[in-house]
Amino acid sequence: MSERFTGSFTQQEPIPEAGIKAALEVLQHGRLHRYNVAEGELGETALLEQEFAQLTGAKYALAVASGGYAMGCAMRAIGVKAGDKVLSNGFTLAPVPGAIASLGAEPVFVEVTENLTIDLDDLAAKIDSSGAKVLLLSHMRGHLVDMEALMATCDAANVAVVEDCAHTMGADWKGVHSGRHGIIGCYSCQTYKHINSGEGGFLTSDDDEVMARAIMLSGSYMLFERHAATPPVEVFERVKYDTPNISGRMDNLRAAILRPQLPMLEAQVDKWNARYAKVEEGIRNCPGLHVIERAPEGRFVGSSIQFLLPGYRPEQIESFVQGCAARGVELKWFGAAEPKAFTSRYDSWKYAAAQSLPQTDRVLAGLIDMRLPLTFTLEDCSTIARIITDEAMTLSQSVAAQ
Ligand SMILES: *Cc1c(COP(=O)(O)O)cnc(C)c1O
């Protein structure tokens, strides 16, 4: 009998006791709306923002309804308008081009490298050819590009960078928290990311006016003084009449669930990375399978792992994925003709102008992606690595026999 794995790839850890207790307190006092606070009270959401700003090293933070909302709000706050072109990664997830489309703006996709980071040469070329003034940079699956090189290219061309840090909360580039290089960092606290409130997100920035606009946009009415990690009141005076209210606030219940998770993040990252290392070590020397190296300049969060199966035909990869699935190992393949679950591709987003990214096509054709929930034990990770290796060997042997 071949080995099988029986764990769940979508089971998260429970909310920490302190979060459950704090959530119950909010439910008991009933002040769930972030601006519904008692005399002298800051409220869970304002406190969460203060603590998140501290964690990332940002001057200001704003908690919002989702990561997708954070990206749309960020682009509005820096003045992106309908019809504007916005550069973004050819390899990312659907909420990223979706946020661009939500403004009526037009995504211009940039090629991905074999390391799953944005291709800096193609970025420079697309900045020139498109004339775009904004890059929505997705740190897809936590692979960080050389951030100094990227910022040098963008700064020289006067391109504003908004960072999508849905997979890099807790990660850094040379000690600088992910999201701190661009003008705005956007984060998600949706269940499958690094902290969990079901839905939720953050924006961070050091820029007074950008953050004042983001706060107004998120639905602050004229209650912006009830924020803590916020620009001075006089900045709001300059923006409060011409910034529309596009409600997308965080509420005190979610904030209560999240606050105790922030001080745990470092230790959670260590746990993820220990699991990641186990799987990586197990599959590293498998013939025909190419592990994607993580940049040594950064600390990443191993909440998922990717590898390449270069040179196989689609039906061969399909049968490898099915072979793993039959043994309880759930893999996602970005090369399938039809998008499944989370795996849509730039050519699935038909609301954007058709674009050709031959290098991205080549990489995605063999790209396999696997989630690593913290409910896996290290032993689970070794089992999973053995099954992947075994199936990859079968794949390479079946090809050699042809
Ligand atoms: C999840 C995700 C988002 C958006 O997060 P939501 O909170 O689900 O809106 C953005 N970018 C990437 C790459 C994501 O995976």
Side-chain angles (χ1 to χ4, degrees), residues 66-68 71 92-93 95-96 138 140 164 166-167 188 190 193 199-200:
S66 73
M71 293 185 288
T92 183
L93 290 186
V96 180
S138 180
M140 180 62 175
D164 165 24
H167 305 162
S188 170
Q190 188 237 78
K193 310 298 161 86
E199 302 286 355

Side-chain angles (χ1 to χ4, degrees), residues 88-94 96-97 109-119 136-143 164 167 292 304 306 308 333-335 342-347 349 357 359-361 363-364 367-369:
S88 194
N89 306 57
F91 170 51
T92 183
L93 290 186
V96 180
F109 297 117
V110 181
E111 295 268 27
V112 73
T113 67
E114 284 226 330
N115 293 328
L116 301 189
T117 53
I118 195 163
D119 185 313
L136 178 56
L137 172 67
S138 180
H139 301 300
M140 180 62 175
R141 291 297 184 249
H143 297 273
D164 165 24
H167 305 162
I292 295 164
S304 70
Q306 294 71 43
L308 294 170
W333 174 39
F334 276 91
F342 297 105
T343 62
S344 68
R345 274 193 318 241
Y346 76 92
D347 55 349
W349 305 322
L357 301 178
Q359 180 178 304
T360 299
D361 293 342
V363 173
L364 297 191
L367 180 64
I368 305 291
D369 178 33

Side-chain angles (χ1 to χ4, degrees), residues 283-291 307-310 312 320 388-389 392:
I283 63 174
R284 180 173 277 287
N285 296 316
C286 176
L289 183 156
H290 176 79
V291 165
F307 57 87
L308 294 170
L309 292 171
Y312 292 108
F320 163 79
I388 292 174
T389 303

Side-chain angles (χ1 to χ4, degrees), residues 119-320:
D119 185 313
L120 292 176
D121 294 331
D122 193 47
L123 175 63
K126 297 263 163 79
I127 288 174
D128 275 350
S129 62
S130 69
K133 286 293 162 210
V134 175
L135 166 65
L136 178 56
L137 172 67
S138 180
H139 301 300
M140 180 62 175
R141 291 297 184 249
H143 297 273
L144 287 166
V145 70
D146 180 335
M147 288 304 297
E148 281 106 353
L150 178 126
M151 289 309 300
T153 298
C154 291
D155 288 345
N158 218 356
V159 168
V161 178
V162 173
E163 296 182 67
D164 165 24
C165 304
H167 305 162
T168 54
M169 186 190 289
D172 69 56
W173 180 261
K174 297 188 182 168
V176 177
H177 199 284
S178 182
R180 301 290 302 126
H181 291 87
I183 184 158
I184 304 184
C186 302
Y187 305 80
S188 170
C189 355
Q190 188 237 78
T191 295
Y192 298 115
K193 310 298 161 86
H194 300 167
I195 56 175
N196 176 11
S197 57
E199 302 286 355
F202 290 101
L203 279 91
T204 57
S205 186
D206 288 354
D207 187 293
D208 283 358
E209 198 156 313
V210 163
M211 189 47 86
R213 283 189 192 284
I215 290 172
M216 294 298 302
L217 282 161
S218 76
S220 67
Y221 301 90
M222 298 297 160
L223 299 169
F224 41 80
E225 288 183 65
R226 294 187 192 171
H227 285 246
T230 185
V233 173
E234 55 271 22
V235 182
F236 288 87
E237 296 302 326
R238 299 205 293 270
V239 306
K240 69 181 186 185
Y241 296 119
D242 64 357
T243 308
N245 179 326
I246 306 178
S247 292
R249 292 172 300 268
M250 164 80 64
D251 57 87
N252 286 334
L253 181 58
R254 278 164 215 212
I257 292 170
L258 289 170
R259 285 184 61 211
Q261 295 181 50
L262 295 184
M264 296 170 61
L265 182 62
E266 278 283 321
Q268 297 288 86
V269 174
D270 289 339
K271 281 164 68 182
W272 260 306
N273 291 356
R275 282 153 184 75
Y276 184 98
K278 265 281 176 239
V279 175
E280 191 191 58
E281 171 194 306
I283 63 174
R284 180 173 277 287
N285 296 316
C286 176
L289 183 156
H290 176 79
V291 165
I292 295 164
E293 303 298 339
R294 297 279 179 167
E297 296 90 341
R299 170 169 157 90
F300 69 99
V301 183
S303 51
S304 70
I305 187 163
Q306 294 71 43
F307 57 87
L308 294 170
L309 292 171
Y312 292 108
R313 290 198 308 273
E315 63 276 17
Q316 294 169 327
I317 298 188
E318 183 70 55
S319 93
F320 163 79

Side-chain angles (χ1 to χ4, degrees), residues 64-86:
V64 293
S66 73
Y69 181 88
M71 293 185 288
C73 182
M75 286 184 286
R76 287 189 171 93
I78 59 170
V80 175
K81 301 263 177 332
D84 287 358
K85 292 197 158 63
V86 175

